[in-house]
Amino acid sequence: MATPSPLTVEEWRAFLEEHNTNIFESAYVRAAVEEGTPAMSPERWEAGWAGAQPASEEAIVAVEERLGVRLPPSYRNFLKVSNGWEYVGPVDLFPLESIGWFTDLDEGLIEAWAGPEYFEEYLAVLKRCVLIGQDDGGSGCWWLLHVDGAGEDGECTAYDWWAGSGEVPERYDDFAALVRREAKTFL
């Protein structure tokens, strides 16, 4: 039986503590530090925690009001444990104050992909996604939440998109499933 994705604050705390340990014990991360090209900021490396301080409910609600949408429960609960995260695979998850509509934060990329016919259906979805994380200097990866597509449980589809690969965005049932897969893949 597959390990379920973290959803509650307690499940996120346990998941992130384990993932944090895996990051700091990772041969890849240790080699990067030794080479002087750490996979995370020196402050987080020295603190021994790839995460940030938790976000308050008030801060989450303020961002939801700014965006005009409710964030999915798995992402909200993640934020209550860590308001951002460095190194979930190649992606850094933004703190609340940095998330926003993908079209506002990277309009040029949306425009660049407006041409190919095979991409039309994805373009409509991407225009209604909130950008929550990005590869900061690699080959270009964006993590997105399609907040218009929330189910009865409040969860919405998440996407991992390597635009430079020429591929379409990879779909996940929810934010937690995306994080769990990427955490396993890149360590």
Side-chain angles (χ1 to χ4, degrees):
M1 184 169 126
T3 305
S5 295
L7 295 173
T8 67
V9 170
E10 295 77 21
E11 289 169 342
W12 273 115
R13 189 171 292 113
F15 177 87
L16 291 174
E17 286 173 359
E18 180 179 347
H19 182 58
N20 190 72
T21 298
N22 291 339
I23 289 170
F24 281 86
E25 292 176 356
S26 161
Y28 170 79
V29 173
R30 291 202 170 277
V33 169
E34 289 173 14
E35 293 170 6
T37 57
M40 67 184 65
S41 66
E43 299 81 18
R44 293 204 181 163
W45 180 258
E46 289 172 19
W49 178 245
Q53 292 297 312
S56 68
E57 179 67 22
E58 295 78 19
I60 295 169
V61 169
V63 168
E64 290 174 331
E65 288 173 358
R66 173 175 57 89
L67 297 172
V69 296
R70 179 145 173 100
L71 297 171
S74 63
Y75 183 57
R76 292 176 108 261
N77 288 335
F78 167 86
L79 291 165
K80 289 177 182 179
V81 176
S82 183
N83 183 14
W85 189 269
E86 291 186 21
Y87 198 76
V88 180
V91 174
D92 291 339
L93 290 171
F94 299 151
L96 269 174
E97 56 273 8
S98 297
I99 71 169
W101 291 105
F102 191 34
T103 52
D104 294 339
L105 298 177
D106 206 331
E107 184 178 355
L109 186 61
I110 295 288
E111 289 174 7
W113 279 85
E117 275 187 44
Y118 75 92
F119 203 76
E120 284 180 22
E121 70 179 90
Y122 294 99
L123 196 59
V125 169
L126 293 175
K127 286 181 177 181
R128 291 300 301 162
C129 281
V130 172
L131 177 61
I132 61 167
Q134 184 174 349
D135 174 12
D136 64 349
S139 58
C141 180
W142 289 260
W143 277 18
L144 306 149
L145 297 176
H146 185 226
V147 291
D148 283 353
E152 287 182 23
D153 60 358
E155 293 297 334
C156 64
T157 305
Y159 290 91
D160 174 12
W161 186 31
W162 293 87
S165 72
E167 298 292 322
V168 297
E170 188 169 349
R171 181 185 186 284
Y172 294 85
D173 289 339
D174 56 38
F175 168 74
L178 170 58
V179 171
R180 187 170 58 97
R181 183 200 167 263
E182 293 299 313
K184 285 172 50 177
T185 302
F186 285 96
L187 282 180

